[in-house]
Amino acid sequence: MKKLVLKLLAVYTLIGCAVPHKAVAQMALDNSEIEASMIKALEWQEAHPIFAIAPTDWTAGAYYTGVARAHKTTKDMMYMAALKNQAYNNDWQTYNRLYHADDVAISYSYLYVGMNDKRPGFVNLEPTQKFLDAHLFEDNIWKSGKDKTTSGKTILWWWCDALFMAPPVLNLYAKHTNQPKYLDEMHKFYMETYNQLFDKEERLFARDMRYVWKGNNKDEKEPNGKKIFWSRGNGWVLGGLALLLDDMPKEYKHRPFYENLFKVMASRILELQPEDGLWRTSLLCPEAYDHGEVSGSGFYTFALAWGVNNEILDKAKYQPAVKKAWQALKKCQHSDGRVGWVQNIGASPEPASADSWQNFGTGAFLMAGSEVLKLK
Amino acid sequence: MKKLVLKLLAVYTLIGCAVPHKAVAQMALDNSEIEASMIKALEWQEAHPIFAIAPTDWTAGAYYTGVARAHKTTKDMMYMAALKNQAYNNDWQTYNRLYHADDVAISYSYLYVGMNDKRPGFVNLEPTQKFLDAHLFEDNIWKSGKDKTTSGKTILWWWCDALFMAPPVLNLYAKHTNQPKYLDEMHKFYMETYNQLFDKEERLFARDMRYVWKGNNKDEKEPNGKKIFWSRGNGWVLGGLALLLDDMPKEYKHRPFYENLFKVMASRILELQPEDGLWRTSLLCPEAYDHGEVSGSGFYTFALAWGVNNEILDKAKYQPAVKKAWQALKKCQHSDGRVGWVQNIGASPEPASADSWQNFGTGAFLMAGSEVLKLK
Amino acid sequence: MKKLVLKLLAVYTLIGCAVPHKAVAQMALDNSEIEASMIKALEWQEAHPIFAIAPTDWTAGAYYTGVARAHKTTKDMMYMAALKNQAYNNDWQTYNRLYHADDVAISYSYLYVGMNDKRPGFVNLEPTQKFLDAHLFEDNIWKSGKDKTTSGKTILWWWCDALFMAPPVLNLYAKHTNQPKYLDEMHKFYMETYNQLFDKEERLFARDMRYVWKGNNKDEKEPNGKKIFWSRGNGWVLGGLALLLDDMPKEYKHRPFYENLFKVMASRILELQPEDGLWRTSLLCPEAYDHGEVSGSGFYTFALAWGVNNEILDKAKYQPAVKKAWQALKKCQHSDGRVGWVQNIGASPEPASADSWQNFGTGAFLMAGSEVLKLK
């Protein structure tokens, strides 16, 4: 029987994520199947803890953001149990570099638990508050441009991933504590990043200044001569925008900026969706590593589905793309629940494989599922 | 294959826990099947940690009491490994409210490990001793009736669940350390609770003073007009009594009180057993939520089987009920090991579902299995 | 379906580890099957934590040495994730008896992570260094022969298991920090143990002085009258030798001693291999408990395969034995990944069973697989 399972698994893996799925977009999705896939992903990930530096780092931050979104949609206590466990085991701490957006991503899950668990004395948001105050209101080497170790770090959020790590946390914290000043500060730093990294022509974010062309022969290029736009990097931004908009006050003065940016990027991402539903790690040079990648694609699927569900994106245009993407994402999940085809930790397009996994990839998968479940 | 499994699972779930199992009581039980069910329950629960406030809270207390009982019967090292892990990870601490019986329930498992592991320096029962001494011999707001936050808390163990949480621990501690004074003090407080909450006519415990009728129009009633007797609440008491009697000296002067109470309650619980084997969350208004519930039923099954195995209850009368209950409990376990149909944390009858689970429900399941295995 | 699985499992267990596997040595091994078995073993073990005294004790030390070796061969990130988790959760601590070789075995995994993870500030080898310095260069009751609690402890490494626990760590530490003095000190203490416990006639190690014959009527004997040579005990030595040689400088002055000892023991172990491939817990009285045992056999399989792969042992002579042993080891793995037939913690031959498991048994299985994968 083991042999049979291995063979099935091998076949399963071979058909992989690169098969074109024609007409899939017309198929109805089965919500109980989606929920079962999501729970299996959660269970597998909980059984396979992984981190880059610590259980409070950004990888866990992105993963547990996905778990929180899955709970928000389904109310399945499996998600809440996992959220409370990690918060308790992490003692509600952020990771420790107060100047680094990555290290507060975990607080999205703490805030979510805080807004949903009413046991007195259980939730502790003090470390989050301490981090956010230092991050926003105290000087640091990136803000001040005094960082000497690498070039280009002249702003707080100098890499586009940061727009997923910190802004949704600030936004949720502002909402939870009813202190709009955190949202205003967030906007200030967001605009710095937008101004440095958003390519208006391509309607995509460069990962950081290394990938912004200066018009000289040092400009980094794809093999096909185009600019380098990283799928996951743009996934962080577009997924982060959906998170932001979901909890941002409707009347917030800068909301139109975020809605507009969301729509502009969404339209570009839709244009770039490959036939089989999943985006490649390089958005403008998909042929470099010609297979779907789950972390970027998961964030896009989440964001596009959120846009449809919230009537910010046109349903007729976006819903088929979302359904196709979800069907393809599901094919990247192994039968034991593992979500494969996740590009490893990095900063630019690299290949993935059926076996490559990361907790943040599972997070992206859960985020996608959480909004696909709400499609009508 | 995943689809097939999902379908099988769906069918499995549908047949659920409400199917009448005629003639089941005559069937022989297969011990290796029971053991396999129990191990699967343990493995699932270990992979899905959950708590109310902390890993040392009463939910873990009840769960690991079940794990300890499972080990006591089977000697399977899987249980001991889990017991030692949690004790080590909890650093042998109780939870922190020294006036609250809930917070020492976890010490049942610590004591059990202490009585079975002989590595010098490994076991630490100091936090337990500190808790018990403060709990019994120091004043607190409940004992003194000075608690102002809610009505009715004029005794130490003002809710019937407490009779599971603290007395078996005190009893085991008295035995392990050979200090009968802990047993005598236990008896004093037990009697207070008995006098307040035991309904001699119904032979059941009210959960707390809110459910004891005072003969005015504020009395809480079931939809059918009857008094509210909560299944799990009475399960805590009856299951706790079996634990108590199991380790109480045969010659202890108050032992007849406990034996008698055990027999009186057992006979009532037997009368109230529904046709399909599992008790409803409301004992006197089973039609309110007309499906079996696993936590209460698990504790009853444990207690009745223990009574049969120890010749305190009549085998001919009780054994068929126990076997029927176990067969029905087993049907509440998902194929992956999860024990469903557990009413969530609460204080009165509420519905459960195939998917609702809690670690203490798994504990009740393990306790039931640990005595069903010993049936002859 | 559950019943079917149980039946399959039962059959599986029955055929167990004592079936003769003729012609198996001629069969080709399938590396993807080996890798799948190893990952299942890892996953099962990670889901079933167990320890003797603490998660940093020698049982974890041996297990995570196996995980490290599995990663070294396969580079599968599952292993590295597990290694980093435990190192982080253990805060890079050894266990606390600085005179006890057991308590530094865990540092093999820390050193391995340290040599493979380049994140600044993540790895902390200070506790390891502190332990090794105290262990080698400070006086202690064993070294000084002042231990009064048991007889025979007149040297630092008075039991043969110690040759697995400390020497490979010292060897790796010397290599990693480029400090040959640790290797020289290691050699000094290694020779003490060799001189006390190695039986030149039998070419095997006595477990400790209790098992070295003094020629009087107190000499411990097997039922068949022979000396007691424990399979796992010799597995610790031979497996430890392969670990040592793997990282010992080719030009190290005492290397010939270790190579020679490795070859002498290997030839004896080969002679003693039972027909079905797995060694019994008693090497010279196999009929005492006549079934294969996995921890000793796993270490032997690792060592012999390593010897073949590194051209220290004759391929034609040893490779068939290795293949036969691996096929038999695989049969001791349950379908859920658990590695059974592991003798419990002990110091002399005792029986095992299909269900008996320990993390160090899983470690031995992973070590075996890690070298079997490299056979050509």
Side-chain angles (χ1 to χ4, degrees), chain C residues 9-192:
Chain C
L9 193 67
V11 170
Y12 195 81
T13 303
L14 275 175
I15 54 174
C17 293
V19 178
H21 304 288
K22 282 171 198 151
V24 118
Q26 280 79 48
M27 288 173 51
L29 297 174
D30 175 342
N31 275 7
S32 68
E33 236 182 76
I34 298 171
E35 284 174 15
S37 290
M38 290 168 69
I39 286 290
K40 287 201 86 165
L42 173 85
E43 290 183 297
W44 193 90
Q45 195 57 70
E46 289 294 307
H48 295 80
I50 191 170
F51 53 75
I53 357 175
T56 51
D57 69 21
W58 65 269
T59 68
Y63 168 48
Y64 284 110
T65 297
V67 177
R69 300 302 300 193
H71 184 264
K72 191 172 180 182
T73 296
T74 65
K75 308 295 179 209
D76 192 318
M77 60 192 284
M78 299 273 266
Y79 300 112
M80 186 50 87
L83 289 167
K84 287 175 68 178
N85 283 329
Q86 61 96 18
Y88 185 93
N89 290 332
N90 287 336
D91 201 18
W92 307 90
Q93 296 298 310
T94 65
Y95 193 53
N96 55 25
R97 298 164 301 176
L98 304 184
Y99 60 94
H100 204 313
D102 279 0
D103 294 6
V104 79
I106 193 69
S107 289
Y108 188 94
S109 66
Y110 300 163
L111 283 161
Y112 182 80
V113 175
M115 292 163 91
N116 287 279
D117 190 284
K118 299 302 173 206
R119 293 198 178 253
F122 177 61
V123 176
N124 176 12
L125 296 177
E126 271 184 45
T128 294
Q129 184 195 326
K130 204 183 129 200
F131 186 108
L132 294 180
D133 285 343
H135 191 66
L136 294 178
F137 303 116
E138 291 175 16
D139 196 30
N140 70 50
I141 50 168
W142 289 344
K143 252 187 227 176
S144 63
K146 285 178 192 152
D147 175 46
K148 303 298 178 208
T149 55
T150 35
S151 60
K153 297 181 182 174
T154 59
I155 57 173
L156 181 61
W157 299 334
W158 53 264
W159 71 118
C160 71
D161 319 23
L163 300 184
F164 182 96
M165 306 302 165
V169 172
L170 285 160
N171 183 49
L172 205 56
Y173 187 77
K175 179 182 182 177
H176 182 49
T177 65
N178 200 23
Q179 297 185 81
K181 72 170 179 177
Y182 290 95
L183 198 49
D184 290 336
E185 283 296 302
M186 184 278 281
H187 181 66
K188 190 181 83 187
F189 292 112
Y190 201 104
M191 290 309 297
E192 286 185 359

Side-chain angles (χ1 to χ4, degrees), chain A residues 39-207:
Chain A
I39 286 291
K40 286 202 86 165
L42 173 83
E43 290 182 297
W44 192 90
Q45 194 58 70
E46 289 294 309
H48 295 81
I50 190 170
F51 53 76
I53 357 177
T56 51
D57 69 21
W58 65 269
T59 68
Y63 168 47
Y64 285 109
T65 297
V67 178
R69 300 302 300 193
H71 184 264
K72 191 172 179 182
T73 296
T74 64
K75 307 294 180 211
D76 191 318
M77 60 191 286
M78 299 273 266
Y79 300 112
M80 186 50 87
L83 288 167
K84 287 175 68 179
N85 283 330
Q86 60 95 18
Y88 184 91
N89 289 333
N90 287 335
D91 200 18
W92 308 90
Q93 297 297 310
T94 64
Y95 193 54
N96 56 24
R97 298 164 301 177
L98 305 184
Y99 60 94
H100 203 313
D102 279 0
D103 294 6
V104 80
I106 193 69
S107 290
Y108 189 94
S109 65
Y110 300 163
L111 284 161
Y112 182 80
V113 174
M115 292 163 91
N116 287 278
D117 190 284
K118 300 301 171 206
R119 293 199 178 252
F122 177 62
V123 177
N124 176 12
L125 296 177
E126 272 184 43
T128 294
Q129 184 194 327
K130 203 183 129 202
F131 185 107
L132 294 180
D133 285 344
H135 191 67
L136 293 178
F137 304 117
E138 290 176 16
D139 196 29
N140 69 50
I141 50 166
W142 288 345
K143 250 187 224 176
S144 63
K146 285 178 194 155
D147 175 46
K148 302 299 176 207
T149 55
T150 33
S151 58
K153 297 180 182 174
T154 59
I155 59 173
L156 181 60
W157 299 334
W158 54 264
W159 72 117
C160 72
D161 318 24
L163 300 184
F164 183 96
M165 305 301 165
V169 172
L170 286 160
N171 182 48
L172 204 57
Y173 188 77
K175 180 182 181 177
H176 182 48
T177 64
N178 200 22
Q179 296 184 80
K181 73 170 177 177
Y182 289 96
L183 198 48
D184 290 337
E185 283 296 303
M186 183 278 280
H187 181 65
K188 191 181 83 187
F189 291 113
Y190 201 103
M191 290 308 296
E192 286 185 359
T193 309
Y194 171 81
N195 288 329
Q196 270 203 0
L197 302 180
F198 189 61
D199 185 313
K200 284 179 181 159
E201 204 172 311
E202 293 290 357
R203 292 172 284 149
L204 295 169
F205 273 78
R207 199 275 178 172

Side-chain angles (χ1 to χ4, degrees), chain B residues 16-17 19-27 29 34 269-270 272-280 292-305 318-333 364-365 368-369 372 375:
Chain B
C17 293
V19 178
H21 304 289
K22 283 172 198 149
V24 118
Q26 280 78 49
M27 288 172 52
L29 297 175
I34 298 171
I269 291 304
L270 183 69
L272 293 169
Q273 186 183 33
E275 175 59 24
D276 59 39
L278 294 188
W279 290 262
R280 311 305 189 235
E293 192 279 334
V294 160
S295 64
S297 299
F299 293 132
Y300 296 148
T301 307
F302 164 72
L304 300 184
Y318 284 89
Q319 185 147 313
V322 167
K323 286 165 77 172
K324 189 159 71 170
W326 175 258
Q327 296 284 16
L329 282 171
K330 249 185 46 184
K331 290 212 173 355
C332 298
Q333 184 178 34
F365 184 88
V372 170
L375 293 178

Side-chain angles (χ1 to χ4, degrees), chain A residues 27-39:
Chain A
M27 287 173 53
L29 298 174
D30 175 343
N31 274 7
S32 68
E33 236 182 75
I34 299 171
E35 284 175 14
S37 290
M38 289 167 68
I39 286 291

Side-chain angles (χ1 to χ4, degrees), chain C residues 167-226:
Chain C
V169 172
L170 285 160
N171 183 49
L172 205 56
Y173 187 77
K175 179 182 182 177
H176 182 49
T177 65
N178 200 23
Q179 297 185 81
K181 72 170 179 177
Y182 290 95
L183 198 49
D184 290 336
E185 283 296 302
M186 184 278 281
H187 181 66
K188 190 181 83 187
F189 292 112
Y190 201 104
M191 290 309 297
E192 286 185 359
T193 309
Y194 172 83
N195 288 329
Q196 270 203 358
L197 302 180
F198 188 63
D199 186 313
K200 283 178 183 162
E201 203 172 313
E202 293 289 358
R203 292 173 284 149
L204 295 169
F205 273 78
R207 200 274 179 174
D208 57 55
M209 286 302 288
R210 291 175 294 173
Y211 304 97
V212 175
W213 282 8
K214 286 99 190 168
N216 60 43
N217 61 5
K218 283 183 189 159
D219 287 341
E220 299 256 16
K221 287 182 178 55
E222 290 286 6
N224 64 5
K226 296 197 180 160

